[in-house]
C-alpha cells in the first residue's frame, strides 16, 4: 500500500504517491565509480535497497573524465559519500562496520577490498565485472577482449573474495563485439549488460534464492592494467592485430601511437581492407585517391582518422602537404 496526497496545480487534480517501503528492506554499502557505478547504484535504489553509504573516488585531474559521477548521483539521493584513498584503513573499516549493512556491492570501484571489510556484510559482498568470467579477470577487461579479437563479452555479478574476480557467479549478461567496435562502444554495451544482469537477479538475491555458480578458473586468465605506452604499434604485426589494438585504445583512451617522418602520430580509427602489396614492402603510410592507408606486416589498413604531431588531419590535407609517396614508419 502507499500513502497518497493531493494538490492543485492549476489544470486539475494531481495525486502524489508516497512509497511506503517495507521497514525490513535490505541494506547495503556501495563501492562505486564510473558509468557502471551510476547505473548499478540506480538499480539498487529502484529496488528499494537502503544504501547507507557510497564509497567512491575523487576524480584524478590527470585523467580524461568522460564518464558520469557516482558521487553526484549519491548526493542527488541524499546518500552520504566518502572518498578514501584506501578503504581498508582501520578508521574506514570501523565507520562501515558501524552501519551494519547486510550487503556490499562493488561497481567498477578501483581498490581491492581486504578481509577486514569483506567480513562485515553477513549476506555477502558482490562485485560487477566487465567480462564473462572466468575470462578476462583483472583490469580493463573490455580493452583486453578487443585486443584479443573476441566477438563477445559481457558483465558478471559475482561474490567477492580476497583474490580478484574469482568468487561464485550470481548472474551474467553477454553482449556482442562487432568487428569495428571501439572500446568506448563496447563499454557502453557492457554498462547496459551490467544493469540488466543486476536488475534481473536482484529480487532473488535480496530474497536469498539467487544461484551461486563456482568458477572454473582454468577456463580464463588474469590480465593487468594497461599504460599509454602499451598502445605503441608494432607494424610487423598483421593488419587485423593492429586494427584490434587501434579500436581497443581509441579515444577517450590514449590511442594507438607510432612515429612518422620523425613526428608523433596517433592512429584513431582504422578499417581492415582486402588490399594486397606486391612483394615484401616495409610498413609505410601513404595516401591514394583521397584515402590514407598503412602497410602492415601482413595486410593493409585504411587509416580513417589520425593525428600527426598533435593535429588531426584528413588524408587530403596530408597529401597536399606531403604528397603521395610512401613514408615508412619510424616505429
Amino acid at each position: 500500500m502507499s500513502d497518497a496526497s493531493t494538490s492543485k496545480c492549476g489544470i486539475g487534480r494531481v495525486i502524489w504517491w508516497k512509497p511506503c517501503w517495507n521497514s525490513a528492506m535490505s541494506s547495503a554499502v556501495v563501492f562505486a565509480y564510473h558509468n557502471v557505478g551510476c547505473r548499478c547504484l540506480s538499480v539498487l535504489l529502484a529496488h528499494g535497497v537502503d544504501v547507507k553509504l557510497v564509497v567512491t573516488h575523487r576524480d584524478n585531474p590527470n585523467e580524461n573524465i568522460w564518464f558520469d559521477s557516482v558521487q553526484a548521483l549519491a548526493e542527488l539521493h541524499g546518500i552520504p559519500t566518502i572518498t578514501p584513498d584506501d578503504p581498508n584503513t582501520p578508521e574506514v573499516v570501523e565507520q562501515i562496520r558501524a552501519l551494519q549493512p547486510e550487503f556490499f556491492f562493488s561497481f567498477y570501484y578501483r581498490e581491492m577490498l581486504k578481509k577486514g571489510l569483506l567480513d562485515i556484510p553477513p549476506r555477502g559482498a558482490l562485485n560487477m565485472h566487465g567480462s564473462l568470467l572466468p575470462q578476462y579477470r583483472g583490469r580493463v577487461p573490455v580493452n583486453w577482449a578487443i585486443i584479443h579479437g573476441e566477438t563477445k563479452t559481457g558483465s558478471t555479478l559475482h561474490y567477492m573474495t580476497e583474490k580478484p574476480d574469482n568468487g561464485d557467479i550470481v548472474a551474467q549478461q553477454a553482449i556482442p563485439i562487432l568487428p569495428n567496435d571501439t572500446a568506448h562502444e563496447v563499454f557502453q554495451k557492457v554498462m547496459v549488460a551490467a544493469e540488466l544482469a543486476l536488475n534481473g537477479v536482484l529480487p532473488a538475491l535480496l530474497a536469498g534464492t539467487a544461484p551461486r555458480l563456482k568458477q572454473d578458473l582454468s577456463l580464463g586468465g588474469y590480465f593487468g592494467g594497461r599504460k599509454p605506452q602499451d598502445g605503441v604499434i608494432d607494424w610487423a604485426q598483421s593488419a587485423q592485430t593492429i586494427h584490434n589494438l587501434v579500436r581497443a585504445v581509441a579515444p577517450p583512451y590514449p590511442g594507438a601511437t607510432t612515429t612518422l617522418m620523425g613526428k608523433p602520430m596517433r592512429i584513431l580509427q582504422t578499417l581492415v581492407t582486402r588490399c594486397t602489396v606486391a612483394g615484401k614492402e616495409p610498413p609505410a603510410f601513404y595516401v591514394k585517391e583521397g584515402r590514407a592507408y598503412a602497410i602492415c606486416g601482413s595486410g593493409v589498413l585504411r587509416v580513417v582518422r589520425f593525428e600527426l604531431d598533435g593535429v588531426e588531419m584528413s588524408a587530403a590535407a596530408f597529401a597536399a602537404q606531403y604528397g603521395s609517396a610512401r613514408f615508412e614508419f619510424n616505429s
Side-chain angles (χ1 to χ4, degrees), residues 273-287:
T273 75
R274 295 182 180 178
C275 299
T276 58
V277 178
K280 183 63 177 177
E281 292 280 345
F285 180 89
Y286 66 97
V287 174

Side-chain angles (χ1 to χ4, degrees), residues 193-216:
E195 182 174 339
L196 289 171
L198 180 63
N199 189 67
V201 81
L202 192 56
L205 186 66
L206 300 180
T209 60
R212 292 185 65 148
L213 177 64
K214 185 175 178 62
Q215 292 191 55
D216 182 351

Side-chain angles (χ1 to χ4, degrees), residues 180-306:
N180 297 313
D181 279 348
T182 65
H184 182 258
E185 290 167 335
V186 175
F187 183 84
Q188 299 304 313
K189 291 189 276 189
V190 166
M191 176 180 66
V192 175
E195 182 174 339
L196 289 171
L198 180 63
N199 189 67
V201 81
L202 192 56
L205 186 66
L206 300 180
T209 60
R212 292 185 65 148
L213 177 64
K214 185 175 178 62
Q215 292 191 55
D216 182 351
L217 300 182
S218 69
L219 299 178
Y222 181 87
F223 292 82
R226 292 183 60 84
K227 301 179 177 62
Q229 54 266 36
D230 296 325
V232 176
I233 299 170
D234 177 2
W235 290 105
Q237 294 181 321
S238 70
Q240 184 63 62
T241 298
I242 295 170
H243 175 63
N244 290 344
L245 174 65
V246 169
R247 60 199 186 98
V249 298
Y253 300 99
T257 59
T258 188
T259 306
L260 188 73
M261 300 182 292
K263 300 176 181 180
M265 187 179 201
R266 279 208 310 166
I267 307 295
L268 305 177
Q269 183 182 2
T270 55
L271 294 172
V272 177
T273 75
R274 295 182 180 178
C275 299
T276 58
V277 178
K280 183 63 177 177
E281 292 280 345
F285 180 89
Y286 66 97
V287 174
K288 181 179 180 180
E289 297 176 353
R291 291 182 173 181
Y293 297 90
I295 300 171
C296 307
S298 61
V300 178
L301 285 176
R302 180 182 166 196
V303 182
V304 180
R305 291 181 56 212
F306 63 93

Side-chain angles (χ1 to χ4, degrees), residues 37-57:
C38 288
R39 295 310 306 165
C40 289
L41 174 58
S42 295
V43 170
L44 296 183
L45 297 176
H47 283 263
V49 174
D50 178 16
V51 179
K52 294 180 173 292
L53 179 71
V54 167
V55 186
T56 187
H57 302 289

Side-chain angles (χ1 to χ4, degrees), residues 39 59 69 129 132 147 179 223 324:
R39 295 310 306 165
D59 291 337
S69 169
H129 185 71
L132 296 176
I147 286 169
F223 292 82
S324 57

